[in-house]
Amino acid sequence: MMALSNRDLQLTELNGGGSSDGDDREDEWLLNNYDGKKERIGDGMRRIQVGVTGMTCAACSNSVEGALMGLKGVAKASVALLQNKADVVFDPDLVKDEDIKNAIEDAGFEAEILAESSTSGPKPQGTIVGQYTIGGMTCAACVNSVEGILRGLPGVKRAVVALATSLGEVEYDPTVISKDDIANAIEDAGFEASFVQSSGQDKILLQVTGVLCELDAHFLEGILSNFKGVRQFRFDKISGELEVLFDPEALSSRSLVDGIAGRSNGKFQIRVMNPFARMTSRDSEETSNMFRLFISSLFLSIPVFFIRVICPHIPLVYALLLWRCGPFLMGDWLNWALVSVVQFVIGKRFYTAAGRALRNGSTNMDVLVALGTSAAYFYSVGALLYGVVTGFWSPTYFETSAMLITFVLFGKYLEILAKGKTSDAIKKLVELAPATALLVVKDKGKCIEEREIDALLIQSGDTLKVLPGTKLPADGIVVWGTSYVNESMVTGEAVPVLKEINSPVIGGTINLHGVLHIQATKVGSDAVLSQIISLVETAQMSKAPIQKFADFVASIFVPIVVTLALFTWLCWYVAGVLGAYPEQWLPENGTHFVFALMFSISVVVIACPCALGLATPTAVMVATGVGANNGVLIKGGDALERAQKIKYVIFDKTGTLTQGRATVTTAKVFTKMDRGEFLTLVASAEASSEHPLAKAVVEYARHFHFFDDPSLNPDGQSHSKESTGSGWLLDVSDFSALPGRGIQCFISGKQVLVGNRKLLNESGITIPDHVESFVVELEESARTGILVAYDDNLIGVMGIADPVKREAAVVVEGLLKMGVRPVMVTGDNWRTAHAVAREIGIQDVMADVMPAGKADAVRSFQKDGSIVAMVGDGINDSPALAAADVGMAIGAGTDIAIEAADYVLMRNSLEDVIIAIDLSRKTFARIRLNYIFAMAYNVIAIPIAAGVFFPSLGIKLPPWAAGACMALSSVSVVCSSLLLRRYKKPRLTTILEITVE
């Protein structure tokens, strides 16, 4: 048996399947591959990404860019310092990959040509994405250090670290590097690392109760050792946590749990542990630990403060403090003892973090705190020793060191509390997941047993019983029962939805009334709730482009501050020696050296790079959480940044602007054929098609025969047994669907054509003028005309309408008021398209656009550099969603459309487009305000701390007060971001400037 570390933990996830079809009116087109969102490059040009190591600042990235642009044939070179990458567009006839690599290496850096990949698309085959909690990060410089270390590891393809969530996501090749190696690399750099979960499916963490003694533990180990498929395990007797590594092909997670419980005869109770719950407990532990440090520091600092400020006014106490004990006064001994504990025991974390940063070649806030407190502490110790030797007793500043550490710890505690609030969205989503499920065990179709299982052990195909008032345990389909379900957690709509047999259901939603039996179809990472959590997580870990500037400033901030502090000390010291200011300014028994040192220390401790580092990620985290609560899932900060600049919004028509539920409004026969015979003929032809228009035709014909025509339904019943079958339809042969035209088949040996003008013209069938006029009239009234030919003769026309969504016109007007120009793109003919556009107020229309041409339509609006958004719902919209600057998948959408989009609008409502744009604008307004505050704080605070205003206004900031200001600066920025939680979605009446009485 081999032991596992805590980093090996992950949940077993069982893959489901399922996809949905697109609803385009003119074609049924499948997207076979998706290359992600790429910038367009010229013909004959090639684009590659190069990994560059050794860059430490903007000057390095400029050197790399200069070396690349100096190559003949390179059209464009862009270097991302924080990502350690170079993006190069070049002419492969003039320059080769190796030339690019050599140019970077000649500039003094290491280079590696990277394989093409997309972080938003499918992960490269053979790689695993692991998630880690990372402790000890205090600012953007720490984040840069960890990311740099991870990206430098062999086998690591991608690494993203988020300061606000203390999480890291690493994509790596498990054949080259292990989870332990990654965690060890983080810990070797001086940070804390703990594995959370990964995309692999061979590990599970269980909570075991019933292990009361050493004998029980050996019994449990014996059970696990005899399991076929168990590779490794580790049991912690204190916490009761059991980690198991197993072969998923030989053993399922449920079989493992059931086997342990069964082989122990019920002695051991097993519960699957949720990795997100562990993360929450770690967050609580970090908060508690920081609070304990703060209270301890405060408890020891208050006596030091009293000794310096209060005690001199209490004669008896002051006399005791002035009692000489050995070479020092009693007060000095007390100050030294108390502050030494604060400085080196409680404040050890600052020395550790500072050493870690310096060891990695970077600087952060901990370096500033360690410098400031050490200067005050060691000066005070030196002053005491100097007094013993010379008899000249200079003032000491022990209280400065103690109070500074206390205030910094208080600030960190408040910061952790505030940052915890920003991750509430994920916590709430996790809480939505049900804990248990009722598994229905069947034998030969009959229920033989019902038993409760952990919801994390549900497998695809399981039949689950859902009682009234409980959460649905998984995504699936209703196989028995009828009830209403509250789906507001996904759609945002409070109105309950009726669920009957074959109705789809979503895990985590609430069953309100009747009992349901559902069959699980999507579990684990494929479930809707899991995908929402994953999307929110990914968004909160992403970095907006605007953050790159802040990260760069933070990386050079500390060296600049230290330089300013030295310059401040030099100026005041030299000015004092030259007699530039009166001796009265000096503290009692003080010197020019000490006077200058206090200003210098204040400069060091008041400067705060944390505020800059937190300005963007905290706002993005809050915005993604707020968006999720409003049914708008945002995939990242870069999507937010682009969305606030949207100039055009291109809407797909069918299923986006319209309801996507086609209905027949007109059926006109132009021959002597009976109306019922005509409908039977058309329905028989369309019954073999899966197209939405075909289904509308069949439904219309069925309704006519079994409800409107009493001769076929003598009992007057609208739902006879026959009506649900297909016995009334004619036999069809040689059926074929013709994309973009319609369908053809043979009935009774005669050809039947159902489709558009193009289909009939290609078949040589003439369309009479009066029929053409009728079709034009339909199209001008926003209906689609479907022509029907039988035995080479046009026999009739059916008018089909897809009603426009009720909010479409108001949303279009609202976008115009917001300065955004709406555009409609559709495969329909121009008459129908323009009729729909007129109805909802859209001026720009692109008609007769095939699915493959939608992406070209998007690009046509991007030519002038405008930011273009695409709103669609189907597979055939995916290329356009990917080509757009901002892709918005509306409604549940299809899996591939969601993959291609930047925003997922969970409700089938166009109003969410306005919410997405409005939230993006408000988020970036808040980010800009955060940056203004953070920059202004340092611009104003540093001169005050340096004593710039002391000669004229007498304003001086003691080091301990500077520490208090610094501690509150980053908290202020985080709290500013938290105000986004009060976001209210805009009312359309407000946008349209309508007065409601």
Side-chain angles (χ1 to χ4, degrees):
M1 180 187 73
M2 296 176 64
L4 293 175
S5 71
N6 286 337
R7 304 183 199 96
D8 289 321
L9 166 65
Q10 68 188 53
L11 286 181
T12 299
E13 295 175 341
L14 298 162
N15 292 326
S19 62
S20 56
D21 298 327
D23 293 342
D24 189 83
R25 304 179 69 91
E26 295 294 329
D27 199 3
E28 295 175 358
W29 185 80
L30 178 64
L31 181 67
N32 291 319
N33 53 66
Y34 160 56
D35 294 330
K37 212 177 288 288
K38 296 180 181 177
E39 183 181 335
R40 288 145 299 281
I41 60 177
D43 293 337
M45 303 297 283
R46 185 161 170 258
R47 184 177 192 170
I48 63 169
Q49 286 193 336
V50 187
V52 184
T53 55
M55 297 188 299
T56 58
C57 62
C60 298
S61 61
N62 292 338
S63 298
V64 176
E65 283 187 7
L68 291 171
M69 292 303 296
L71 290 175
K72 184 180 180 180
V74 172
K76 180 182 177 183
S78 177
V79 179
L81 174 67
L82 300 178
Q83 281 70 37
N84 293 313
K85 284 183 181 178
D87 191 82
V88 189
V89 177
F90 62 97
D91 185 345
D93 294 332
L94 299 177
V95 65
K96 305 301 180 186
D97 294 10
E98 194 64 26
D99 298 329
I100 293 172
K101 182 174 181 290
N102 292 336
I104 297 174
E105 291 177 345
D106 290 343
F109 304 92
E110 296 179 11
E112 177 189 3
I113 306 297
L114 302 177
E116 256 186 87
S117 63
S118 172
T119 57
S120 61
K123 298 294 179 287
Q125 189 173 6
T127 63
I128 287 179
V129 178
Q131 195 175 75
Y132 297 80
T133 56
I134 302 174
M137 297 188 298
T138 57
C139 65
C142 299
V143 172
N144 294 339
S145 295
V146 176
E147 285 185 347
I149 291 165
L150 291 173
R151 289 169 181 160
L153 295 174
V156 171
K157 308 295 183 183
R158 181 176 62 91
V160 180
V161 177
L163 173 64
T165 56
S166 297
L167 284 176
E169 190 173 88
V170 186
E171 182 185 342
Y172 63 96
D173 185 346
T175 62
V176 178
I177 190 170
S178 68
K179 297 179 180 68
D180 280 346
D181 294 333
I182 294 172
N184 290 336
I186 298 172
E187 291 179 342
D188 289 343
F191 298 91
E192 299 172 3
S194 179
F195 180 77
V196 180
Q197 63 173 354
S198 81
S199 57
Q201 301 177 2
D202 58 354
K203 293 182 180 68
I204 190 170
L205 179 69
L206 306 172
Q207 181 71 46
V208 183
T209 56
V211 181
L212 307 177
C213 61
E214 193 69 26
L215 188 61
D216 291 339
H218 286 302
F219 181 36
L220 176 61
E221 292 175 357
I223 292 174
L224 291 168
S225 299
N226 292 324
F227 257 112
K228 182 181 179 181
V230 171
R231 295 170 177 168
Q232 300 172 358
F233 60 87
R234 186 192 68 82
F235 179 64
D236 188 327
K237 300 181 182 67
I238 299 175
S239 65
E241 292 184 3
L242 172 65
E243 298 174 22
V244 183
L245 174 66
F246 63 94
D247 182 356
E249 294 183 1
L251 184 68
S252 69
S253 55
R254 191 160 80 200
S255 299
L256 175 65
V257 171
D258 290 345
I260 295 173
R263 296 184 187 186
S264 67
N265 294 321
K267 178 176 179 59
F268 301 138
Q269 301 297 318
I270 313 295
R271 180 174 62 86
V272 181
M273 296 186 67
N274 192 315
F276 296 105
R278 295 186 79 209
M279 288 170 56
T280 302
S281 66
R282 288 194 190 100
D283 292 341
S284 301
E285 184 179 340
E286 183 184 8
T287 304
S288 301
N289 183 50
M290 189 59 65
F291 182 72
R292 284 194 301 270
L293 288 174
F294 162 65
I295 291 298
S296 301
S297 181
L298 180 65
F299 180 77
L300 295 173
S301 299
I302 288 177
V304 177
F305 183 78
F306 268 67
I307 290 172
R308 181 62 182 264
V309 179
I310 307 297
C311 292
H313 302 286
I314 305 175
L316 181 60
V317 176
Y318 193 52
L320 292 173
L321 294 176
L322 294 177
W323 177 48
R324 185 166 294 278
C325 183
F328 307 121
L329 301 178
M330 179 59 70
D332 294 330
W333 281 112
L334 288 174
N335 279 331
W336 173 79
L338 292 171
V339 175
S340 293
V341 175
V342 175
Q343 183 75 26
F344 300 110
V345 179
I346 297 174
K348 177 184 175 182
R349 67 186 311 276
F350 297 111
Y351 283 105
T352 302
R356 175 174 59 221
L358 294 173
R359 188 166 63 248
N360 293 319
S362 64
T363 51
N364 58 17
M365 187 201 75
D366 297 297
V367 173
L368 296 180
V369 175
L371 278 175
T373 57
S374 297
Y377 176 84
F378 287 111
Y379 164 76
S380 299
V381 172
L384 289 177
L385 296 176
Y386 184 76
V388 171
V389 175
T390 65
F392 180 79
W393 298 91
S394 298
T396 59
Y397 293 92
F398 282 115
E399 77 284 350
T400 294
S401 174
M403 296 303 294
L404 174 57
I405 288 177
T406 301
F407 279 121
V408 172
L409 290 173
F410 179 61
K412 294 300 293 180
Y413 171 66
L414 293 180
E415 187 180 311
I416 291 171
L417 284 180
K419 288 195 309 186
K421 292 291 184 181
T422 64
S423 60
D424 280 351
I426 290 182
K427 294 177 183 176
K428 290 179 180 178
L429 288 170
V430 172
E431 290 171 358
L432 289 173
T436 59
L438 278 176
L439 177 66
V440 178
V441 181
K442 293 185 177 181
D443 183 23
K444 296 180 180 180
K446 294 183 179 180
C447 177
I448 60 173
E449 180 188 358
E450 288 180 12
R451 64 188 183 95
E452 188 174 81
I453 64 170
D454 196 299
L456 294 171
L457 298 177
I458 295 173
Q459 299 174 1
S460 182
D462 284 347
T463 299
L464 307 167
K465 182 178 181 179
V466 188
L467 299 174
T470 61
K471 295 178 181 178
L472 276 80
D475 294 2
I477 296 175
V478 177
V479 294
W480 180 86
T482 303
S483 182
Y484 281 88
V485 174
N486 182 354
E487 295 184 340
S488 60
M489 53 80 68
V490 173
T491 65
E493 295 289 349
V495 179
V497 181
L498 175 64
K499 298 296 179 180
E500 302 173 303
I501 293 177
N502 293 328
S503 296
V505 292
I506 301 172
T509 56
I510 301 174
N511 179 28
L512 297 178
H513 303 301
V515 176
L516 294 176
H517 283 192
I518 68 168
Q519 185 177 51
T521 56
K522 292 185 178 181
V523 297
S525 61
D526 291 325
V528 169
L529 185 58
S530 295
Q531 290 178 348
I532 293 174
I533 294 174
S534 178
L535 284 174
V536 175
E537 258 197 322
T538 302
Q540 293 187 347
M541 289 192 64
S542 69
K543 291 185 178 181
I546 194 175
Q547 190 178 341
K548 294 179 181 178
F549 170 73
D551 288 347
F552 169 70
V553 173
S555 66
I556 63 173
F557 189 86
V558 175
I560 292 175
V561 169
V562 173
T563 302
L564 285 174
L566 292 173
F567 181 73
T568 298
W569 176 85
L570 183 63
C571 289
W572 279 105
Y573 181 70
V574 172
V577 172
L578 297 177
Y581 55 81
E583 296 291 328
Q584 290 83 353
W585 285 6
L586 299 178
E588 185 179 356
N589 294 332
T591 63
H592 295 294
F593 176 88
V594 175
F595 186 63
L597 182 63
M598 290 302 102
F599 285 113
S600 180
I601 292 174
S602 294
V603 170
V604 168
V605 300
I606 202 169
C608 183
C610 289
L612 282 170
L614 292 170
T616 296
T618 53
V620 170
M621 283 186 66
V622 175
T624 52
V626 169
N629 290 335
N630 285 278
V632 177
L633 301 182
I634 308 165
K635 286 194 175 179
D638 54 343
L640 274 168
E641 186 163 349
R642 291 194 300 270
Q644 47 127 9
K645 302 175 184 175
I646 290 174
K647 183 176 179 180
Y648 295 97
V649 174
I650 299 179
F651 292 95
D652 175 49
K653 182 176 80 70
T654 305
T656 302
L657 289 172
T658 64
Q659 295 178 12
R661 294 191 297 271
T663 56
V664 177
T665 60
T666 305
K668 187 173 181 64
V669 184
F670 292 99
T671 65
K672 295 181 180 179
M673 182 180 289
D674 178 76
R675 179 182 175 87
E677 184 182 353
F678 169 75
L679 291 177
T680 301
L681 184 74
V682 180
S684 300
E686 293 280 27
S688 299
S689 174
E690 292 297 322
H691 199 281
L693 299 186
K695 295 178 180 179
V697 170
V698 174
E699 184 59 35
Y700 181 83
R702 178 184 290 114
H703 184 75
F704 173 85
H705 285 311
F706 299 107
F707 185 79
D708 292 342
D709 193 342
S711 63
L712 293 177
N713 192 5
D715 297 330
Q717 296 178 357
S718 60
H719 296 288
S720 66
K721 183 179 292 186
E722 184 185 15
S723 72
T724 61
S726 58
W728 59 282
L729 296 174
L730 305 175
D731 292 332
V732 173
S733 61
D734 298 331
F735 173 87
S736 61
L738 305 173
R741 289 167 291 174
I743 61 104
Q744 69 176 11
C745 64
F746 287 86
I747 297 178
S748 301
K750 298 179 180 179
Q751 186 183 54
V752 178
L753 299 174
V754 183
N756 55 23
R757 295 181 183 86
K758 185 184 296 185
L759 176 63
L760 268 65
N761 290 333
E762 289 177 353
S763 302
I765 298 176
T766 303
I767 303 174
D769 291 341
H770 67 285
V771 176
E772 176 66 23
S773 298
F774 181 76
V775 174
V776 169
E777 183 181 342
L778 288 175
E779 292 171 345
E780 289 179 345
S781 60
R783 287 176 288 178
T784 300
I786 304 298
L787 299 121
V788 182
Y790 180 61
D791 195 18
D792 295 332
N793 293 308
L794 194 153
I795 62 172
V797 173
M798 301 191 74
I800 299 180
D802 185 2
V804 172
K805 290 180 179 177
R806 60 183 181 182
E807 75 273 14
V810 181
V811 169
V812 166
E813 188 176 353
L815 288 171
L816 290 170
K817 293 283 187 180
M818 296 172 70
V820 179
R821 192 170 166 183
V823 180
M824 186 181 79
V825 60
T826 179
D828 271 340
N829 61 78
W830 70 269
R831 289 194 188 91
T832 303
H834 279 276
V836 173
R838 281 197 306 271
E839 183 179 348
I840 59 180
I842 290 182
Q843 300 296 320
D844 299 296
V845 181
M846 302 185 75
D848 292 317
V849 178
M850 300 301 287
K854 291 181 181 179
D856 294 329
V858 169
R859 296 187 186 103
S860 68
F861 286 93
Q862 293 173 322
K863 288 181 179 178
D864 61 351
S866 298
I867 301 297
V868 178
M870 172 70 193
V871 185
D873 68 328
I875 289 177
N876 45 34
D877 297 324
S878 299
L881 291 171
D885 298 289
V886 181
M888 298 184 182
I890 191 167
T894 62
D895 293 340
I896 200 163
I898 290 173
E899 184 68 41
D902 299 294
Y903 283 71
V904 180
L905 313 180
M906 297 302 294
R907 304 183 302 171
N908 196 24
S909 172
L910 293 172
E911 294 176 12
D912 289 346
V913 176
I914 287 182
I915 294 175
I917 297 174
D918 182 67
L919 178 59
S920 300
R921 290 179 176 180
K922 283 185 169 57
T923 299
F924 265 79
R926 180 63 57 179
I927 288 173
R928 293 187 188 99
L929 183 64
N930 287 350
Y931 278 130
I932 291 172
F933 178 80
M935 297 287 284
Y937 165 81
N938 286 294
V939 168
I940 296 172
I942 291 177
I944 293 175
V948 171
F949 303 105
F950 181 62
S952 58
L953 302 176
I955 299 176
K956 184 171 70 171
L957 203 63
W960 64 267
C965 294
M966 184 273 288
L968 294 175
S969 62
S970 57
V971 176
S972 301
V973 168
V974 175
C975 291
S976 170
S977 296
L978 285 175
L979 291 176
L980 280 171
R981 298 177 70 193
R982 302 173 63 184
Y983 173 83
K984 301 293 183 184
K985 61 183 180 181
R987 298 180 61 183
L988 290 175
T989 52
T990 303
I991 294 175
L992 300 179
E993 300 174 352
I994 298 173
T995 303
V996 180
E997 298 183 1

